[in-house]
Amino acid sequence: MPGKRTDVISWDEFFMRVAMAAAMRSKDPNTQVGACIADANHRILSVGYNGTPSALNDDEFPWETADDPLLDKHSYVIHAEANAILNYRGSNKDLQGATVYVTLFPCHECAKTLVQAGIGEVVYLGDKYEGTQDNLISKRILDTCGVTYRQVTVAD
Ligand SMILES: Nc1ccn([C@H]2C[C@H](O)[C@@H](COP(=O)(O)O)O2)c(=O)n1
Ligand SMILES: [Zn+2]
């Protein structure tokens, strides 16, 4: 009888790869972000990626960055983390203390949303905005609210 496989991927890699797969659904030409929320029992609670509200026809909205907010994609895109919270179909209590795996460190708006939803931990892949004012505000919100965050790497 052969022994069981022992070289399986970690839970961190599993959930981050789910987030990475979600990011592949993003139509943002510049930055694709995916998020996966998992509970302490390693169950996937929700998944999301950055995109416009499903009721919008995303052919009729900008995907560029522009000075004019009306012409700037950021005005219309829902962030991956927010979509993961919005896509969640369970009861809010089950989000309490859950972990969000996200391919890019949350912006300060998402930090507030994640905290308010009861997320207890952020596991992130990239942090390309590290050191920016927005990033410092995010970390201040997460630190103050006791939400821990840690970076992971995933082999190519
Ligand atoms: N944690 C984040 C950060 C950004 N996003 C989304 C919002 C935009 O679609 C895109 C950023 O575009 P860029 O300014 O890099 O051209 O990424 C997100 O969903 N979650
Ligand atoms: Zn955000």
Side-chain angles (χ1 to χ4, degrees), residues 39-55:
D39 69 13
N41 297 313
H42 305 128
R43 293 191 182 93
I44 293 173
L45 296 178
S46 189
V47 177
Y49 57 89
N50 56 319
T52 53
S54 50

Side-chain angles (χ1 to χ4, degrees), residues 49-130:
Y49 57 89
N50 56 319
T52 53
S54 50
L56 295 188
N57 177 344
D58 57 22
D59 289 323
E60 296 172 4
F61 285 79
W63 286 105
E64 298 77 32
T65 296
D67 293 337
D68 179 351
L70 275 171
L71 304 176
D72 184 334
K73 68 177 180 184
H74 298 93
S75 301
Y76 305 103
V77 169
I78 302 172
H79 288 197
E81 305 90 314
N83 263 329
I85 298 288
L86 291 166
N87 291 337
Y88 177 54
R89 286 290 167 269
S91 66
N92 285 348
K93 70 175 174 50
D94 293 336
L95 284 179
Q96 302 317 300
T99 297
V100 61
Y101 289 79
V102 59
T103 57
L104 182 57
F105 196 87
C107 73
H108 82 280
E109 289 298 339
C110 289
K112 291 184 281 186
T113 300
L114 293 168
V115 162
Q116 192 73 342
I119 296 295
E121 180 186 34
V122 174
V123 179
Y124 63 97
L125 192 62
D127 194 6
K128 71 175 180 177
Y129 301 120
E130 184 175 10

